[in-house]
Amino acid sequence: MGIKFNITYWPIVHFKLIGDINDENFEIYKVHYLNVLIKCKKHKEKIILIADLNSDYEMPMKYIFKLALFNKKIFKFNKLYLNAVLIFSQSKSFKNLLNVYLSMITPSSPYKLCSSFEKINLYLTNNLNIHFDANIFNVNNVNQNQDNIEKYNDNYNNNKLDLYKKLNDGNDEINFE
Protein backbone atom coordinates (compact mmCIF):
# COMPACT_ATOMS: atom_id res chain seq x y z
CA MET A 1 0.00 0.00 0.00
CA GLY A 2 1.04 3.57 -0.52
CA ILE A 3 1.57 6.13 -3.23
CA LYS A 4 3.79 5.43 -6.23
CA PHE A 5 5.16 8.26 -8.34
CA ASN A 6 6.66 7.53 -11.74
CA ILE A 7 8.78 10.26 -13.32
CA THR A 8 10.43 8.02 -15.91
CA TYR A 9 8.59 9.84 -18.72
CA TRP A 10 9.28 13.37 -17.47
CA PRO A 11 7.62 15.85 -17.92
CA ILE A 12 4.73 13.40 -17.74
CA VAL A 13 4.39 12.40 -14.10
CA HIS A 14 2.13 9.53 -13.05
CA PHE A 15 1.08 8.71 -9.54
CA LYS A 16 -1.04 5.86 -8.31
CA LEU A 17 -2.67 5.22 -5.00
CA ILE A 18 -1.98 1.60 -4.06
CA GLY A 19 -4.59 0.43 -1.58
CA ASP A 20 -6.56 2.65 0.75
CA ILE A 21 -5.79 6.28 1.41
CA ASN A 22 -4.90 7.07 5.00
CA ASP A 23 -3.12 9.88 6.85
CA GLU A 24 0.31 8.33 6.33
CA ASN A 25 -0.20 7.84 2.58
CA PHE A 26 -1.52 11.36 2.23
CA GLU A 27 1.58 12.78 3.94
CA ILE A 28 3.79 10.66 1.66
CA TYR A 29 1.91 12.04 -1.34
CA LYS A 30 2.52 15.63 -0.20
CA VAL A 31 6.26 15.08 0.26
CA HIS A 32 6.65 13.37 -3.11
CA TYR A 33 4.57 16.00 -4.87
CA LEU A 34 6.58 18.84 -3.34
CA ASN A 35 9.74 17.11 -4.56
CA VAL A 36 8.26 16.96 -8.06
CA LEU A 37 7.55 20.71 -7.93
CA ILE A 38 11.15 21.35 -6.79
CA LYS A 39 12.38 19.37 -9.81
CA CYS A 40 10.11 21.51 -12.02
CA LYS A 41 11.53 24.68 -10.53
CA LYS A 42 15.11 23.49 -10.87
CA HIS A 43 14.63 22.57 -14.54
CA LYS A 44 12.18 25.40 -15.31
CA GLU A 45 9.66 22.91 -16.69
CA LYS A 46 5.94 22.27 -16.42
CA ILE A 47 4.59 18.76 -15.91
CA ILE A 48 1.52 16.90 -16.97
CA LEU A 49 0.25 15.06 -13.92
CA ILE A 50 -1.62 11.81 -14.48
CA ALA A 51 -3.42 10.96 -11.24
CA ASP A 52 -4.37 7.29 -11.31
CA LEU A 53 -7.21 7.12 -8.81
CA ASN A 54 -8.89 4.13 -10.37
CA SER A 55 -9.72 1.65 -7.63
CA ASP A 56 -12.65 0.02 -5.95
CA TYR A 57 -11.86 2.04 -2.84
CA GLU A 58 -13.92 5.17 -2.34
CA MET A 59 -11.91 8.18 -1.26
CA PRO A 60 -13.20 9.57 2.05
CA MET A 61 -14.37 13.18 1.98
CA LYS A 62 -11.74 13.97 4.64
CA TYR A 63 -8.99 13.57 2.02
CA ILE A 64 -10.83 15.64 -0.57
CA PHE A 65 -10.80 18.50 1.96
CA LYS A 66 -7.16 17.87 2.88
CA LEU A 67 -6.15 17.86 -0.79
CA ALA A 68 -8.00 21.11 -1.44
CA LEU A 69 -6.32 22.75 1.56
CA PHE A 70 -2.88 21.50 0.47
CA ASN A 71 -3.39 22.72 -3.11
CA LYS A 72 -4.59 26.12 -1.89
CA LYS A 73 -1.33 26.49 0.01
CA ILE A 74 0.78 25.67 -3.03
CA PHE A 75 -1.50 27.22 -5.67
CA LYS A 76 1.12 29.59 -7.05
CA PHE A 77 3.56 26.70 -7.59
CA ASN A 78 0.93 24.55 -9.26
CA LYS A 79 0.16 27.51 -11.52
CA LEU A 80 3.83 27.79 -12.44
CA TYR A 81 4.63 24.12 -12.89
CA LEU A 82 1.46 22.25 -13.92
CA ASN A 83 0.57 22.09 -17.59
CA ALA A 84 -2.47 19.85 -17.01
CA VAL A 85 -3.90 17.32 -14.57
CA LEU A 86 -5.45 14.19 -16.03
CA ILE A 87 -7.39 12.11 -13.53
CA PHE A 88 -7.93 8.46 -14.36
CA SER A 89 -10.93 6.94 -12.60
CA GLN A 90 -13.73 4.67 -13.73
CA SER A 91 -15.72 5.29 -10.56
CA LYS A 92 -19.13 6.79 -11.27
CA SER A 93 -19.09 8.58 -7.90
CA PHE A 94 -15.65 10.10 -8.39
CA LYS A 95 -17.09 12.88 -10.57
CA ASN A 96 -19.15 13.98 -7.55
CA LEU A 97 -16.01 14.04 -5.39
CA LEU A 98 -14.22 16.07 -8.05
CA ASN A 99 -17.10 18.55 -8.08
CA VAL A 100 -16.85 18.93 -4.29
CA TYR A 101 -13.10 19.47 -4.60
CA LEU A 102 -13.58 22.07 -7.34
CA SER A 103 -16.13 23.91 -5.22
CA MET A 104 -13.34 24.51 -2.69
CA ILE A 105 -10.49 25.50 -5.01
CA THR A 106 -9.90 27.15 -8.34
CA PRO A 107 -7.91 24.84 -10.61
CA SER A 108 -4.38 26.08 -11.28
CA SER A 109 -4.26 24.31 -14.63
CA PRO A 110 -6.58 22.57 -17.04
CA TYR A 111 -7.89 19.25 -15.74
CA LYS A 112 -9.75 16.34 -17.26
CA LEU A 113 -11.44 13.34 -15.67
CA CYS A 114 -10.81 10.35 -17.93
CA SER A 115 -12.32 6.88 -17.69
CA SER A 116 -9.52 5.20 -19.67
CA PHE A 117 -5.90 5.63 -20.62
CA GLU A 118 -7.07 5.93 -24.22
CA LYS A 119 -9.01 9.07 -23.27
CA ILE A 120 -5.87 10.41 -21.60
CA ASN A 121 -3.98 9.74 -24.84
CA LEU A 122 -6.63 11.62 -26.83
CA TYR A 123 -6.48 14.60 -24.47
CA LEU A 124 -2.69 14.71 -24.69
CA THR A 125 -2.79 14.58 -28.49
CA ASN A 126 -5.75 16.89 -29.12
CA ASN A 127 -5.20 19.49 -26.40
CA LEU A 128 -1.46 19.51 -25.77
CA ASN A 129 -0.11 18.13 -29.06
CA ILE A 130 1.79 15.45 -27.14
CA HIS A 131 1.95 11.94 -28.55
CA PHE A 132 2.31 9.58 -25.61
CA ASP A 133 0.83 6.20 -24.79
CA ALA A 134 -0.47 6.43 -21.22
CA ASN A 135 -1.28 2.72 -21.35
CA ILE A 136 2.27 2.25 -20.08
CA PHE A 137 0.74 3.08 -16.68
CA ASN A 138 -1.91 0.39 -16.95
CA VAL A 139 -2.31 -1.72 -13.81
CA ASN A 140 -0.38 -4.53 -15.51
CA ASN A 141 2.64 -2.23 -15.71
CA VAL A 142 2.17 -0.34 -12.43
CA ASN A 143 5.07 -2.02 -10.64
CA GLN A 144 7.42 -1.59 -13.59
CA ASN A 145 9.44 1.57 -14.16
CA GLN A 146 8.58 3.04 -10.75
CA ASP A 147 11.33 5.48 -9.89
CA ASN A 148 11.84 6.59 -6.34
CA ILE A 149 11.31 10.33 -6.34
CA GLU A 150 13.89 10.85 -3.56
CA LYS A 151 16.70 10.15 -6.00
CA TYR A 152 15.67 13.31 -7.87
CA ASN A 153 15.40 15.62 -4.89
CA ASP A 154 19.07 16.65 -4.64
CA ASN A 155 19.24 15.58 -0.99
CA TYR A 156 16.49 17.94 0.13
CA ASN A 157 15.13 17.13 3.53
CA ASN A 158 11.68 15.56 3.17
CA ASN A 159 10.23 17.88 5.79
CA LYS A 160 7.28 19.60 4.08
CA LEU A 161 8.17 23.03 5.47
CA ASP A 162 11.75 22.72 4.21
CA LEU A 163 10.46 21.61 0.81
CA TYR A 164 8.10 24.56 0.66
CA LYS A 165 10.95 26.93 1.49
CA LYS A 166 12.98 25.44 -1.36
CA LEU A 167 10.08 26.18 -3.70
CA ASN A 168 9.57 29.66 -2.30
CA ASP A 169 13.25 30.69 -2.15
CA GLY A 170 13.20 30.61 1.66
CA ASN A 171 10.30 33.06 2.02
CA ASP A 172 6.92 32.80 3.70
CA GLU A 173 6.69 29.97 6.14
CA ILE A 174 3.66 27.76 5.79
CA ASN A 175 2.01 25.23 8.08
CA PHE A 176 1.29 21.96 6.30
CA GLU A 177 -0.42 20.28 9.24
Side-chain angles (χ1 to χ4, degrees):
M1 285 191 227
I3 305 269
K4 298 284 186 182
F5 273 79
N6 185 332
I7 60 172
T8 302
Y9 306 99
W10 188 270
I12 295 174
V13 175
H14 171 263
F15 83 86
K16 176 153 183 72
L17 175 64
I18 310 294
D20 298 347
I21 186 76
N22 57 37
D23 289 343
E24 180 182 0
N25 287 340
F26 189 75
E27 294 304 311
I28 290 168
Y29 163 79
K30 291 193 301 189
V31 167
H32 285 300
Y33 186 68
L34 289 170
N35 275 310
V36 166
L37 291 177
I38 289 169
K39 181 176 171 71
C40 290
K41 180 181 178 182
K42 180 179 177 184
H43 296 284
K44 297 177 174 74
E45 292 180 285
K46 286 188 166 199
I47 61 166
I48 297 158
L49 184 65
I50 298 175
D52 188 341
L53 301 175
N54 193 45
S55 75
D56 294 331
Y57 179 73
E58 293 297 323
M59 186 172 294
M61 192 60 66
K62 167 184 175 180
Y63 296 104
I64 300 299
F65 289 121
K66 282 184 162 207
L67 183 62
L69 181 61
F70 174 66
N71 279 320
K72 276 185 180 185
K73 290 177 180 178
I74 62 170
F75 180 85
K76 70 180 180 179
F77 304 112
N78 282 337
K79 188 99 175 134
L80 286 170
Y81 302 122
L82 273 178
N83 198 6
V85 176
L86 306 174
I87 304 161
F88 172 53
S89 179
Q90 295 174 328
S91 167
K92 295 190 187 317
S93 64
F94 194 81
K95 187 172 185 172
N96 294 332
L97 291 174
L98 184 59
N99 287 336
V100 169
Y101 171 80
L102 293 171
S103 73
M104 294 182 278
I105 187 168
T106 302
S108 58
S109 68
Y111 67 91
K112 176 77 172 162
L113 180 59
C114 301
S115 60
S116 71
F117 286 113
E118 288 304 321
K119 289 184 179 179
I120 290 173
N121 293 340
L122 286 172
Y123 183 90
L124 290 171
T125 301
N126 296 337
N127 296 80
L128 301 174
N129 198 27
I130 294 173
H131 302 282
F132 180 79
D133 186 2
N135 285 297
I136 192 75
F137 302 125
N138 193 329
V139 71
N140 296 328
N141 299 322
V142 77
N143 292 322
Q144 298 174 12
N145 298 319
Q146 294 295 327
D147 284 342
N148 184 344
I149 193 71
E150 274 83 20
K151 84 180 211 183
Y152 293 98
N153 73 3
D154 296 329
N155 298 316
Y156 292 136
N157 182 332
N158 282 338
N159 175 287
K160 290 181 291 300
L161 180 56
D162 290 342
L163 293 171
Y164 177 81
K165 286 179 182 177
K166 293 287 184 191
L167 274 173
N168 208 28
D169 298 321
N171 300 324
D172 299 328
E173 290 193 20
I174 191 167
N175 179 6
F176 279 103
E177 301 310 317

